Amino acid sequence: MSSVNSVNNFQNYSNLQNFQSRQNKNAVTFGQYSEPVGGKDEPKPEKAVLALLLLQLAASGLEKASRWCGDKLMAGKEFAPAQDVVKVAQRMVGDNKLNVDVQFVNPHNIRKFPEALRDSLVKVARGENAFYNDAFKLAVAPEKKPSLILHELGHAINSTKGKLLKFMQKSRIYKAYVPTAVLMATQMADESGIKSDFIKNNAGIIGFLSFLPTILEEGLASLRGIKAAKNVLGKAANLKPLKRNYLAAWLTYLIAGLGVGVASKMAVLSGGNPNNK
Ligand SMILES: [Zn+2]
């Protein structure tokens, strides 16, 4: 699920700023962004500065919203007793012929897992994360929050459903590079004489769209978990807490996508001015 780490999504800005200050030596830093120091012939940057301020505000608003969703998820109740969750998990594995080891982690059993995974398992043991690892064919959830496993098994099922879903699952690794990539695309377009206005004007939506595969794949993983719970436990089960928890987790991904959009727009506004070349 990794949603608890979503706050990290917003730390990309600082990396971005470092990149830009390296790009533009002729700059003073003001708050978190660089403002070009222009000669008389350069356009006044007030408009860009105002836009950047607003985007900075939006970014911190998104960060707060993400933390709020993360807290909701942490405080969320389990929808069913652990043995019912295990029953659903077993059915998901069986019905989909998954070759996946399903484990519930507590502080005492971390040592039995491969060493490469132990750092990430500490958070799982604390109840702060859950994950599916495709390389290790392992799905883990906290022992105290077993219901997270149904979402992780949703990922495991997605990974068996063809190349597109598999790509969508892995595409998140590019997220941190998107704003810089959008900025570089505008600079390369400028340098080769191609009009870069389209990229500049749509940097926000381009950034968001780059994260959309992740948002969709996360939602699909949750829907698979909810559907399996409904099928196995029947109408008697109260799925509302499960749906609420999964919605909170999904919102952190939606917010992260908006964050990539905001960061991309900021990158272009603060570093993509062709007059700065
Ligand atoms: Zn997930």
Side-chain angles (χ1 to χ4, degrees), residues 90-167:
Q90 281 167 349
R91 272 280 286 279
M92 287 177 87
V93 170
D95 289 355
N96 296 281
K97 300 184 180 69
L98 297 178
N99 166 30
V100 173
D101 187 16
V102 178
Q103 296 285 343
F104 298 95
V105 185
N106 66 49
H108 309 290
N109 68 6
I110 286 184
R111 266 164 297 166
K112 77 173 187 181
F113 294 96
E115 210 170 333
L117 297 175
R118 277 188 211 155
D119 278 351
S120 23
L121 286 164
V122 172
K123 276 193 158 179
V124 180
R126 284 205 299 253
E128 294 170 5
N129 203 2
F131 62 81
Y132 164 65
N133 186 303
D134 198 43
F136 285 89
K137 298 286 172 212
L138 174 70
V140 291
E143 196 173 276
K144 51 184 164 183
K145 281 183 183 289
S147 68
L148 297 182
I149 202 73
L150 306 182
H151 168 91
E152 302 309 329
L153 288 171
H155 281 306
I157 296 171
N158 283 347
S159 78
T160 66
K161 298 282 178 189
K163 280 185 184 153
L164 177 65
L165 269 170
K166 195 124 184 166
F167 164 76

Coordinates of all heavy atoms in Angstrom, one line a residue, residues 90-167:
Q90 N -7.0 -16.5 1.5 CA -6.8 -17.9 0.9 C -7.6 -18.1 -0.4 O -7.1 -18.7 -1.3 CB -7.1 -18.9 1.9 CG -6.0 -19.1 3.0 CD -6.5 -19.9 4.2 OE1 -7.7 -20.2 4.4 NE2 -5.5 -20.3 5.0
R91 N -8.8 -17.6 -0.4 CA -9.6 -17.7 -1.6 C -9.1 -16.9 -2.8 O -9.1 -17.4 -3.9 CB -11.1 -17.3 -1.3 CG -11.9 -18.4 -0.8 CD -12.4 -19.4 -1.9 NE -13.4 -18.7 -2.7 CZ -14.7 -18.7 -2.3 NH1 -15.1 -19.3 -1.2 NH2 -15.6 -18.1 -3.1
M92 N -8.5 -15.7 -2.4 CA -7.9 -14.9 -3.5 C -6.7 -15.6 -4.1 O -6.6 -15.6 -5.3 CB -7.5 -13.5 -3.0 CG -8.7 -12.6 -2.7 SD -8.1 -11.0 -1.9 CE -7.8 -10.0 -3.4
V93 N -5.9 -16.2 -3.3 CA -4.8 -17.0 -3.7 C -5.2 -18.2 -4.6 O -4.7 -18.4 -5.7 CB -3.9 -17.4 -2.6 CG1 -2.8 -18.4 -3.0 CG2 -3.2 -16.2 -1.9
G94 N -6.2 -18.9 -4.0 CA -6.6 -20.2 -4.7 C -7.3 -19.9 -6.0 O -7.0 -20.5 -7.0
D95 N -8.3 -19.0 -6.0 CA -9.1 -18.7 -7.2 C -8.3 -18.2 -8.3 O -8.6 -18.4 -9.5 CB -10.2 -17.7 -6.9 CG -11.3 -18.4 -6.0 OD1 -11.2 -19.6 -5.7 OD2 -12.2 -17.6 -5.6
N96 N -7.2 -17.4 -8.0 CA -6.4 -16.8 -9.0 C -5.1 -17.6 -9.3 O -4.2 -17.1 -10.0 CB -6.1 -15.3 -8.7 CG -7.4 -14.5 -8.6 OD1 -7.9 -14.1 -9.6 ND2 -7.9 -14.3 -7.4
K97 N -5.0 -18.7 -8.6 CA -3.8 -19.6 -8.7 C -2.5 -18.7 -8.5 O -1.5 -18.8 -9.3 CB -3.7 -20.2 -10.1 CG -4.9 -21.2 -10.3 CD -4.8 -21.9 -11.7 CE -5.9 -22.8 -11.9 NZ -7.2 -22.1 -12.2
L98 N -2.5 -17.9 -7.5 CA -1.3 -17.0 -7.2 C -0.2 -17.8 -6.6 O -0.4 -18.7 -5.7 CB -1.7 -15.9 -6.3 CG -2.8 -14.9 -6.7 CD1 -3.1 -13.9 -5.6 CD2 -2.4 -14.2 -8.0
N99 N 1.0 -17.5 -7.1 CA 2.2 -18.1 -6.5 C 2.8 -17.1 -5.5 O 3.8 -16.5 -5.8 CB 3.1 -18.5 -7.6 CG 4.5 -18.8 -7.1 OD1 4.7 -19.3 -6.0 ND2 5.5 -18.5 -7.9
V100 N 2.0 -16.9 -4.4 CA 2.4 -15.8 -3.5 C 2.4 -16.3 -2.0 O 1.4 -16.9 -1.6 CB 1.4 -14.6 -3.6 CG1 1.7 -13.5 -2.6 CG2 1.5 -14.0 -5.0
D101 N 3.4 -15.9 -1.3 CA 3.4 -16.2 0.1 C 2.7 -15.1 0.9 O 3.1 -13.9 0.7 CB 4.9 -16.3 0.5 CG 5.1 -16.8 1.9 OD1 4.1 -17.4 2.5 OD2 6.2 -16.6 2.5
V102 N 1.7 -15.4 1.6 CA 1.0 -14.4 2.4 C 1.4 -14.5 3.9 O 1.3 -15.5 4.5 CB -0.6 -14.7 2.3 CG1 -1.3 -13.7 3.1 CG2 -1.0 -14.7 0.8
Q103 N 1.8 -13.3 4.4 CA 2.4 -13.3 5.7 C 1.9 -12.1 6.5 O 1.7 -11.0 6.0 CB 3.9 -13.3 5.7 CG 4.6 -14.5 5.1 CD 4.6 -15.7 6.0 OE1 4.4 -15.6 7.2 NE2 4.8 -16.9 5.5
F104 N 1.7 -12.3 7.8 CA 1.3 -11.2 8.7 C 2.5 -11.0 9.6 O 3.0 -11.9 10.3 CB 0.0 -11.6 9.5 CG -1.1 -11.8 8.5 CD1 -1.5 -13.1 8.1 CD2 -1.9 -10.8 8.1 CE1 -2.5 -13.3 7.2 CE2 -2.9 -10.9 7.1 CZ -3.2 -12.2 6.7
V105 N 2.9 -9.7 9.7 CA 4.1 -9.4 10.3 C 3.9 -8.8 11.7 O 3.0 -7.9 11.9 CB 4.9 -8.4 9.4 CG1 6.3 -8.1 10.0 CG2 5.1 -8.9 8.0
N106 N 4.7 -9.2 12.7 CA 4.8 -8.6 14.0 C 6.2 -8.4 14.3 O 7.1 -8.9 13.7 CB 4.0 -9.4 15.0 CG 4.7 -10.8 15.2 OD1 5.9 -10.9 15.5 ND2 3.9 -11.8 15.2
P107 N 6.5 -7.6 15.4 CA 7.9 -7.3 15.7 C 8.8 -8.6 15.9 O 10.0 -8.5 15.8 CB 7.9 -6.5 17.0 CG 6.5 -5.9 17.0 CD 5.6 -6.9 16.3
H108 N 8.1 -9.7 16.3 CA 8.9 -10.9 16.6 C 9.2 -11.8 15.4 O 10.1 -12.7 15.5 CB 8.2 -11.7 17.7 CG 7.8 -10.8 18.9 ND1 8.7 -10.3 19.7 CD2 6.6 -10.3 19.3 CE1 8.1 -9.5 20.6 NE2 6.8 -9.5 20.4
N109 N 8.5 -11.7 14.3 CA 8.7 -12.6 13.2 C 9.5 -12.0 12.1 O 9.7 -12.6 11.0 CB 7.4 -13.3 12.8 CG 6.5 -12.3 12.1 OD1 6.8 -11.2 11.9 ND2 5.3 -12.8 11.8
I110 N 9.9 -10.7 12.2 CA 10.6 -10.0 11.1 C 11.9 -10.8 10.7 O 12.2 -10.9 9.5 CB 11.1 -8.6 11.6 CG1 9.8 -7.7 11.6 CG2 12.1 -8.0 10.6 CD1 10.1 -6.3 11.9
R111 N 12.5 -11.5 11.6 CA 13.8 -12.1 11.3 C 13.7 -13.3 10.4 O 14.6 -13.7 9.7 CB 14.5 -12.6 12.6 CG 15.5 -11.6 13.2 CD 15.8 -11.9 14.6 NE 14.6 -11.8 15.5 CZ 14.5 -12.3 16.7 NH1 15.5 -13.0 17.2 NH2 13.4 -12.1 17.4
K112 N 12.5 -13.8 10.2 CA 12.3 -15.0 9.3 C 12.2 -14.6 7.9 O 12.2 -15.4 7.0 CB 11.1 -15.8 9.7 CG 9.8 -15.3 9.3 CD 8.6 -16.3 9.6 CE 7.3 -15.8 9.1 NZ 6.2 -16.7 9.3
F113 N 12.1 -13.2 7.6 CA 12.0 -12.8 6.2 C 13.4 -12.5 5.6 O 14.4 -12.3 6.4 CB 11.2 -11.5 6.2 CG 9.7 -11.8 6.5 CD1 9.3 -11.5 7.8 CD2 8.8 -12.3 5.6 CE1 8.0 -11.8 8.2 CE2 7.5 -12.5 6.0 CZ 7.1 -12.3 7.3
P114 N 13.5 -12.5 4.3 CA 14.8 -12.1 3.6 C 15.3 -10.8 4.1 O 14.6 -9.8 4.3 CB 14.4 -12.0 2.2 CG 13.1 -12.8 2.0 CD 12.4 -12.7 3.3
E115 N 16.6 -10.8 4.3 CA 17.3 -9.6 4.9 C 17.0 -8.3 4.1 O 16.8 -7.2 4.7 CB 18.8 -9.8 5.0 CG 19.4 -9.1 6.1 CD 20.8 -9.5 6.4 OE1 21.2 -10.6 6.1 OE2 21.6 -8.7 6.9
A116 N 16.9 -8.4 2.8 CA 16.7 -7.3 1.9 C 15.4 -6.5 2.2 O 15.3 -5.4 1.9 CB 16.7 -7.7 0.4
L117 N 14.5 -7.3 2.8 CA 13.1 -6.7 3.0 C 13.0 -6.2 4.4 O 11.9 -5.5 4.8 CB 12.1 -7.8 2.7 CG 12.0 -8.3 1.3 CD1 10.9 -9.4 1.2 CD2 11.6 -7.1 0.4
R118 N 13.9 -6.4 5.3 CA 13.7 -6.2 6.7 C 13.4 -4.8 7.1 O 12.6 -4.5 7.9 CB 14.8 -6.8 7.6 CG 14.6 -8.2 7.8 CD 15.5 -8.9 8.7 NE 15.7 -10.3 8.3 CZ 16.8 -11.0 8.6 NH1 17.8 -10.5 9.3 NH2 16.9 -12.2 8.2
D119 N 14.1 -3.8 6.4 CA 13.9 -2.4 6.8 C 12.4 -2.0 6.5 O 11.8 -1.4 7.3 CB 14.8 -1.5 5.9 CG 16.2 -1.4 6.6 OD1 16.3 -1.9 7.7 OD2 17.1 -0.9 5.9
S120 N 11.9 -2.4 5.4 CA 10.5 -2.1 5.0 C 9.6 -2.8 5.9 O 8.4 -2.4 6.2 CB 10.2 -2.3 3.6 OG 11.1 -3.2 3.0
L121 N 10.0 -4.0 6.4 CA 9.1 -4.8 7.3 C 8.9 -4.2 8.7 O 7.9 -4.5 9.4 CB 9.6 -6.2 7.4 CG 9.4 -7.0 6.1 CD1 10.2 -8.3 6.1 CD2 7.9 -7.4 6.0
V122 N 9.9 -3.4 9.1 CA 9.8 -2.7 10.4 C 8.5 -1.9 10.5 O 7.7 -2.0 11.5 CB 11.0 -1.9 10.7 CG1 10.8 -1.0 12.0 CG2 12.2 -2.7 10.9
K123 N 8.2 -1.1 9.4 CA 7.0 -0.3 9.4 C 5.8 -1.2 9.3 O 4.7 -0.8 9.9 CB 7.0 0.6 8.1 CG 7.8 1.9 8.3 CD 7.5 2.8 7.2 CE 7.8 4.2 7.7 NZ 7.6 5.2 6.6
V124 N 5.8 -2.3 8.6 CA 4.7 -3.2 8.5 C 4.4 -3.8 9.9 O 3.2 -3.8 10.4 CB 5.0 -4.4 7.6 CG1 3.8 -5.3 7.5 CG2 5.3 -3.8 6.2
A125 N 5.4 -4.2 10.7 CA 5.3 -4.7 12.0 C 4.6 -3.7 12.9 O 3.8 -4.0 13.8 CB 6.6 -5.1 12.6
R126 N 4.9 -2.4 12.7 CA 4.3 -1.3 13.5 C 2.9 -1.0 13.1 O 2.2 -0.2 13.7 CB 5.1 -0.1 13.4 CG 6.4 -0.1 14.2 CD 6.9 1.4 14.5 NE 7.1 2.2 13.3 CZ 8.3 2.5 12.9 NH1 9.4 2.2 13.5 NH2 8.4 3.2 11.8
G127 N 2.4 -1.6 12.0 CA 1.1 -1.4 11.5 C 1.0 -0.2 10.6 O -0.1 0.4 10.3
E128 N 2.1 0.3 10.1 CA 2.1 1.5 9.3 C 2.3 1.3 7.8 O 2.3 2.2 7.0 CB 3.3 2.4 9.8 CG 3.1 2.9 11.2 CD 4.4 3.6 11.7 OE1 5.3 3.8 11.0 OE2 4.4 4.0 12.9
N129 N 2.4 0.1 7.4 CA 2.5 -0.2 6.0 C 2.1 -1.7 5.7 O 2.0 -2.5 6.6 CB 3.9 0.1 5.5 CG 4.0 0.4 4.0 OD1 3.0 0.4 3.3 ND2 5.2 0.6 3.5
A130 N 2.0 -1.9 4.4 CA 1.8 -3.3 3.9 C 2.3 -3.3 2.5 O 2.3 -2.2 1.9 CB 0.3 -3.6 3.9
F131 N 2.7 -4.4 2.0 CA 3.2 -4.3 0.6 C 3.1 -5.7 -0.1 O 3.0 -6.8 0.6 CB 4.6 -3.7 0.4 CG 5.7 -4.5 1.1 CD1 6.3 -5.6 0.5 CD2 6.2 -4.1 2.3 CE1 7.3 -6.3 1.2 CE2 7.2 -4.7 3.0 CZ 7.8 -5.9 2.4
Y132 N 3.1 -5.6 -1.4 CA 3.3 -6.9 -2.2 C 4.6 -6.7 -3.0 O 4.8 -5.7 -3.6 CB 2.1 -7.0 -3.2 CG 2.5 -8.0 -4.3 CD1 2.6 -9.4 -4.0 CD2 2.6 -7.6 -5.6 CE1 3.0 -10.3 -5.0 CE2 2.9 -8.5 -6.6 CZ 3.1 -9.8 -6.3 OH 3.4 -10.7 -7.3
N133 N 5.5 -7.7 -2.9 CA 6.8 -7.6 -3.6 C 6.8 -8.7 -4.6 O 6.8 -9.9 -4.4 CB 7.9 -7.8 -2.6 CG 9.3 -7.6 -3.2 OD1 9.6 -8.3 -4.2 ND2 10.1 -6.7 -2.7
D134 N 6.8 -8.2 -5.9 CA 6.7 -9.1 -7.0 C 7.9 -10.0 -7.2 O 7.8 -11.1 -7.6 CB 6.4 -8.2 -8.3 CG 5.9 -9.1 -9.4 OD1 5.0 -9.9 -9.2 OD2 6.3 -8.9 -10.6
A135 N 9.1 -9.4 -6.9 CA 10.3 -10.2 -7.0 C 10.4 -11.3 -6.0 O 10.8 -12.5 -6.3 CB 11.5 -9.3 -6.9
F136 N 10.0 -11.1 -4.8 CA 10.0 -12.1 -3.7 C 8.7 -12.9 -3.7 O 8.6 -13.8 -2.9 CB 10.2 -11.4 -2.4 CG 11.7 -11.0 -2.2 CD1 12.1 -9.7 -2.6 CD2 12.6 -11.9 -1.6 CE1 13.4 -9.3 -2.4 CE2 13.9 -11.5 -1.4 CZ 14.3 -10.2 -1.8
K137 N 7.7 -12.5 -4.5 CA 6.4 -13.2 -4.5 C 5.9 -13.3 -3.1 O 5.5 -14.3 -2.6 CB 6.5 -14.6 -5.1 CG 6.9 -14.6 -6.6 CD 5.8 -14.1 -7.5 CE 6.3 -13.9 -8.9 NZ 5.6 -12.8 -9.6
L138 N 5.9 -12.1 -2.4 CA 5.5 -12.0 -1.0 C 4.5 -10.9 -0.8 O 4.7 -9.8 -1.3 CB 6.8 -11.8 -0.2 CG 6.6 -11.6 1.3 CD1 6.1 -12.8 2.0 CD2 7.9 -11.0 2.0
A139 N 3.4 -11.2 -0.1 CA 2.4 -10.2 0.3 C 2.4 -10.1 1.8 O 2.2 -11.2 2.5 CB 1.0 -10.5 -0.3
V140 N 2.6 -9.0 2.4 CA 2.6 -8.8 3.8 C 1.7 -7.7 4.3 O 1.5 -6.7 3.6 CB 4.0 -8.5 4.4 CG1 5.0 -9.7 4.2 CG2 4.6 -7.3 3.7
A141 N 1.1 -8.0 5.5 CA 0.3 -7.0 6.1 C 0.6 -7.0 7.6 O 1.1 -8.1 8.1 CB -1.2 -7.2 5.9
P142 N 0.4 -6.0 8.4 CA 0.6 -6.0 9.8 C -0.3 -7.0 10.5 O -1.5 -7.2 10.1 CB 0.3 -4.6 10.3 CG 0.2 -3.8 9.1 CD -0.2 -4.7 7.9
E143 N 0.2 -7.7 11.4 CA -0.6 -8.7 12.2 C -1.8 -8.0 12.8 O -2.9 -8.5 13.0 CB 0.2 -9.4 13.2 CG -0.4 -10.6 13.8 CD 0.5 -11.4 14.7 OE1 1.3 -12.1 14.2 OE2 0.4 -11.1 16.0
K144 N -1.6 -6.7 13.2 CA -2.7 -5.9 13.9 C -3.6 -5.3 12.9 O -4.6 -4.7 13.3 CB -2.1 -5.0 14.9 CG -1.1 -4.0 14.5 CD -0.6 -3.2 15.7 CE 0.7 -2.5 15.4 NZ 1.2 -1.8 16.5
K145 N -3.3 -5.3 11.6 CA -4.2 -4.8 10.5 C -4.2 -5.7 9.4 O -3.8 -5.4 8.2 CB -3.7 -3.4 10.1 CG -4.0 -2.3 11.0 CD -3.6 -0.9 10.4 CE -3.9 0.2 11.3 NZ -5.3 0.5 11.4
P146 N -4.7 -6.9 9.6 CA -4.7 -8.0 8.6 C -5.5 -7.6 7.3 O -5.1 -8.0 6.2 CB -5.3 -9.2 9.2 CG -5.9 -8.7 10.5 CD -5.3 -7.5 10.9
S147 N -6.5 -6.8 7.4 CA -7.3 -6.5 6.3 C -6.6 -5.8 5.1 O -7.0 -5.8 4.0 CB -8.5 -5.6 6.7 OG -8.1 -4.3 7.0
L148 N -5.4 -5.2 5.4 CA -4.6 -4.6 4.4 C -4.1 -5.6 3.4 O -3.8 -5.3 2.2 CB -3.4 -3.8 4.9 CG -3.7 -2.6 5.9 CD1 -2.4 -2.0 6.3 CD2 -4.6 -1.6 5.2
I149 N -4.1 -6.9 3.8 CA -3.6 -7.9 2.9 C -4.4 -8.1 1.6 O -3.9 -8.5 0.6 CB -3.4 -9.3 3.6 CG1 -2.4 -10.2 2.9 CG2 -4.7 -10.1 3.7 CD1 -1.0 -9.8 3.1
L150 N -5.7 -7.8 1.7 CA -6.6 -8.1 0.6 C -6.3 -7.1 -0.5 O -6.3 -7.5 -1.7 CB -8.1 -7.9 1.0 CG -8.5 -8.8 2.2 CD1 -10.0 -8.6 2.5 CD2 -8.2 -10.3 2.0
H151 N -5.9 -5.9 -0.2 CA -5.4 -4.9 -1.2 C -4.1 -5.4 -1.8 O -3.9 -5.3 -3.1 CB -5.2 -3.5 -0.5 CG -4.5 -2.5 -1.4 ND1 -5.2 -1.7 -2.2 CD2 -3.2 -2.3 -1.5 CE1 -4.3 -0.9 -2.8 NE2 -3.0 -1.2 -2.4
E152 N -3.2 -5.9 -1.0 CA -1.9 -6.4 -1.5 C -2.1 -7.5 -2.4 O -1.4 -7.7 -3.5 CB -0.9 -6.7 -0.4 CG -0.7 -5.5 0.6 CD -0.3 -4.3 -0.1 OE1 0.4 -4.3 -1.2 OE2 -0.6 -3.2 0.4
L153 N -3.0 -8.4 -2.1 CA -3.3 -9.5 -3.0 C -4.0 -9.1 -4.3 O -3.8 -9.7 -5.4 CB -4.2 -10.6 -2.3 CG -3.4 -11.4 -1.2 CD1 -4.3 -12.3 -0.4 CD2 -2.3 -12.2 -1.9
G154 N -4.7 -7.9 -4.2 CA -5.2 -7.3 -5.4 C -4.0 -6.9 -6.3 O -4.1 -7.1 -7.6
H155 N -2.9 -6.4 -5.8 CA -1.7 -6.1 -6.6 C -1.2 -7.4 -7.2 O -0.8 -7.4 -8.3 CB -0.7 -5.5 -5.7 CG -0.9 -4.0 -5.4 ND1 -1.0 -3.1 -6.4 CD2 -0.9 -3.3 -4.2 CE1 -1.2 -1.9 -5.9 NE2 -1.1 -2.0 -4.5
A156 N -1.2 -8.4 -6.3 CA -0.6 -9.7 -6.8 C -1.4 -10.2 -8.0 O -0.9 -10.7 -9.0 CB -0.6 -10.7 -5.7
I157 N -2.8 -10.1 -7.9 CA -3.6 -10.5 -9.1 C -3.3 -9.6 -10.3 O -3.2 -10.1 -11.4 CB -5.1 -10.4 -8.7 CG1 -5.4 -11.5 -7.6 CG2 -6.0 -10.7 -9.9 CD1 -6.8 -11.3 -6.9
N158 N -3.3 -8.3 -10.0 CA -3.0 -7.3 -11.2 C -1.7 -7.8 -11.9 O -1.6 -7.7 -13.1 CB -2.8 -5.9 -10.6 CG -4.1 -5.2 -10.3 OD1 -5.2 -5.7 -10.7 ND2 -4.1 -4.1 -9.6
S159 N -0.7 -8.2 -11.1 CA 0.6 -8.5 -11.8 C 0.5 -9.8 -12.7 O 1.4 -10.0 -13.5 CB 1.7 -8.7 -10.7 OG 1.6 -10.0 -10.1
T160 N -0.6 -10.5 -12.6 CA -0.8 -11.7 -13.4 C -1.7 -11.4 -14.7 O -2.0 -12.2 -15.5 CB -1.5 -12.9 -12.7 OG1 -2.8 -12.5 -12.4 CG2 -0.7 -13.2 -11.4
K161 N -2.1 -10.1 -14.7 CA -3.1 -9.8 -15.8 C -2.6 -9.1 -17.0 O -3.2 -8.2 -17.5 CB -4.3 -8.9 -15.1 CG -5.0 -9.6 -14.0 CD -6.0 -10.6 -14.5 CE -6.8 -11.3 -13.4 NZ -7.6 -12.4 -13.8
G162 N -1.4 -9.4 -17.3 CA -0.9 -8.8 -18.6 C 0.1 -7.7 -18.4 O 0.3 -7.2 -17.3
K163 N 0.8 -7.3 -19.5 CA 1.9 -6.4 -19.5 C 1.4 -5.0 -19.1 O 2.2 -4.3 -18.4 CB 2.6 -6.3 -20.8 CG 3.5 -7.5 -21.1 CD 4.3 -7.4 -22.4 CE 5.1 -8.6 -22.6 NZ 5.4 -8.9 -24.0
L164 N 0.2 -4.6 -19.5 CA -0.2 -3.2 -19.2 C -0.3 -3.0 -17.7 O 0.3 -2.0 -17.2 CB -1.5 -2.9 -19.9 CG -2.1 -1.5 -19.7 CD1 -1.1 -0.4 -20.2 CD2 -3.5 -1.3 -20.2
L165 N -1.0 -3.9 -17.1 CA -1.2 -3.7 -15.6 C 0.2 -3.8 -14.9 O 0.4 -3.2 -13.9 CB -2.1 -4.8 -15.1 CG -3.6 -4.3 -15.0 CD1 -4.5 -5.4 -14.7 CD2 -3.8 -3.1 -14.0
K166 N 1.0 -4.7 -15.4 CA 2.4 -4.8 -14.8 C 3.1 -3.5 -14.9 O 3.8 -3.1 -14.0 CB 3.1 -6.0 -15.5 CG 4.3 -6.5 -14.7 CD 4.2 -8.0 -14.4 CE 5.3 -8.4 -13.6 NZ 5.1 -9.7 -13.0
F167 N 3.0 -2.9 -16.1 CA 3.7 -1.6 -16.3 C 3.1 -0.6 -15.4 O 3.8 0.2 -14.8 CB 3.6 -1.2 -17.8 CG 3.9 0.3 -18.0 CD1 5.2 0.7 -18.0 CD2 2.9 1.2 -18.1 CE1 5.5 2.1 -18.1 CE2 3.2 2.6 -18.2 CZ 4.5 3.0 -18.2

